[in-house]
Amino acid sequence: MTVNTTLTTTAEAPGAAATPGNPADRAVKRQRVLDILAESGRDSLLLTTNTALAWYLDGSRVHISLAGDPIAAMLVDGDGDHLVTFNNEAARIAAEELPDGVALHSVPWHGHLHAAAAMLSPGGNPLAEAEVTAELRAARQQFLPGESARYALLCAETAAALTDVLSEATPEATEFGVASALAARIVAMGAEPLVLLCNGAGRGEFRHPLPTHSPLGRRAMAVVCARRNGLVANVTRWVRFDAGTPAELDAEARIAAVEADVFDATVPGARLNGVFAEIREAYSRHGFGAGQWTLHHQGGPAGYAGRDPRATPATDDPVVLNQTFTWNPSGPGVKIEDTVQLTESGIAVLSVDPRWPTALVNGIQRPLALQL
């Protein structure tokens, strides 16, 4: 295939000063990628996904459509970092998204982005991201100080948005009304609402309830996945307008017990498939039945993707210190979900709002349903 692409360099464009990114953290990430190259025996690597680019650039926005492909590609080699974007995106990238030490190149808006980036490789044949998916995922696992601080702030603000919106909810409010109020709060935070779910009392059987015009009724769930600086906070909260039935209160306590067992299994050196095995056993142990895990995904490591990756019986990635997770055990009419980090002191919940009611479960404060 012949690639007809004009490549121009804009690294010295006015306004291309440092924007997102922590220089110390970026240096560690670059070394991690260079280690991958050394292990593979290749001279360069082409990063092309939102997850990899946002991680390596330490928070830069390289998308336009939330559902679209990135509008940039990154060529990493021993000599430096080269970000290639379309000519109609280059000025904004240079002014607002380009970390120090990254050379910016542009191609025509109708050009071939990945081919142009590959041309910058010394041999013209860089290692493709898809060839080292597992290695890059491992490189993202252990969070660094700057991104840990950014993630904790995002998660706390997301939890606060849920508190603010659900505290004002009424039984007559619609699911779309709750979702739209949450969307406004998330965007006002400078974040992007990647997922907004809501179900009222009449739709409680759905695990992924896209909102409808249905009223909330006596009880409702809201779920937010909010992205900022490339990081995705995942939070679920429940609200009710009565005291709750004995069966509901019992199920809520039991699903929190399932989660507590999963937290106990999330320790340095464990494997994701081992943690997943504990999830399966916990459902049986706490009265949900052995097959409950088959009815919805259970979560996994979090960060620059909603789950990075989802845990399954086949995922054997190791658990490491400072890694972040969102486990989301669920049962009929119940679900619990927060974003947490594995620290030297154990599990630290990041998506915390002190205004939300909680109960102590195995030493960790966990959210209750907000009763209005």
Side-chain angles (χ1 to χ4, degrees):
M1 180 181 69
T2 301
V3 178
N4 183 15
T5 303
T6 301
L7 194 64
T8 59
T9 300
T10 57
E12 299 303 321
T19 47
N22 176 299
D25 285 3
R26 284 212 65 248
V28 174
K29 293 178 180 184
R30 175 168 167 78
Q31 186 57 55
R32 290 177 182 177
V33 170
L34 292 179
D35 290 344
I36 292 172
L37 285 174
E39 181 68 22
S40 67
R42 302 287 287 276
D43 57 18
S44 58
L45 171 64
L46 182 61
L47 302 178
T48 56
T49 67
N50 271 308
T51 298
L53 288 164
W55 167 75
Y56 190 70
L57 292 167
D58 210 37
S60 297
R61 295 176 297 175
V62 291
H63 68 277
I64 298 299
S65 167
L66 293 180
D69 294 329
I71 46 80
M74 169 71 79
L75 193 286
V76 182
D77 63 23
D79 294 328
D81 297 329
H82 299 269
L83 189 68
V84 181
T85 190
F86 297 112
N87 65 320
N88 59 319
E89 309 291 352
R92 182 188 63 83
I93 293 287
E96 300 176 346
E97 307 293 342
L98 192 68
D100 281 342
V102 177
L104 182 65
H105 310 265
S106 70
V107 298
W109 62 264
H110 52 84
H112 299 273
L113 187 66
H114 296 176
M119 287 169 53
L120 298 171
S121 172
N125 183 32
L127 185 66
E129 182 181 327
E131 298 178 71
V132 285
T133 299
E135 291 85 348
L136 284 169
R137 195 165 66 229
R140 293 191 294 269
Q141 285 181 321
Q142 190 166 49
F143 266 50
L144 297 164
E147 60 191 347
S148 291
R150 290 196 303 274
Y151 203 19
L153 181 60
L154 169 64
C155 291
E157 290 182 7
T158 302
L162 278 156
T163 300
D164 290 342
V165 170
L166 293 180
S167 294
E168 299 296 323
T170 66
E172 297 75 29
T174 68
E175 296 165 351
F176 271 133
V178 170
S180 63
L182 286 168
R185 282 297 308 267
I186 297 304
V187 173
M189 288 162 39
E192 299 139 7
L194 299 186
V195 176
L196 291 171
L197 305 177
C198 185
N199 62 9
R203 301 176 64 238
E205 73 273 23
F206 301 126
R207 307 288 172 113
H208 272 164
L210 292 173
T212 71
H213 290 292
S214 299
L216 300 186
R218 53 175 293 273
R219 183 172 183 260
M221 177 186 75
V223 180
V224 174
C225 299
R227 183 175 66 186
R228 188 172 67 196
N229 303 123
L231 295 162
V232 183
N234 312 287
V235 189
T236 293
R237 293 290 184 264
W238 289 83
V239 61
R240 60 170 164 249
F241 304 97
D242 59 22
T245 69
E248 288 168 351
L249 298 175
D250 175 65
E252 289 168 8
R254 288 187 292 114
I255 204 66
V258 171
E259 183 197 53
D261 290 352
V262 180
F263 284 166
D264 279 348
T266 307
V267 296
R271 297 277 174 171
L272 289 183
N273 50 7
V275 179
F276 194 89
E278 178 60 30
I279 294 173
R280 297 172 64 168
E281 294 175 9
Y283 277 121
S284 293
R285 192 158 49 238
H286 297 291
F288 287 101
Q292 192 63 230
W293 70 273
T294 67
L295 303 179
H296 191 54
H297 80 85
Q298 304 301 309
Y304 291 90
R307 302 296 188 275
D308 195 18
R310 284 183 182 178
T312 73
T315 50
D316 66 349
D317 300 39
V319 173
V320 300
L321 195 64
N322 294 326
Q323 191 172 8
T324 55
F325 296 86
T326 301
W327 299 111
N328 50 265
S330 64
V334 289
K335 178 188 176 187
I336 191 166
E337 178 183 28
D338 272 302
T339 304
V340 307
Q341 187 165 29
L342 179 58
T343 72
E344 291 183 350
S345 301
I347 293 291
V349 183
L350 303 182
S351 46
V352 171
D353 181 358
R355 299 172 297 166
W356 193 271
T358 62
L360 193 65
V361 181
N362 199 20
I364 300 175
Q365 294 291 342
R366 303 305 300 125
L368 299 169
L370 177 66
Q371 187 172 327
L372 297 177

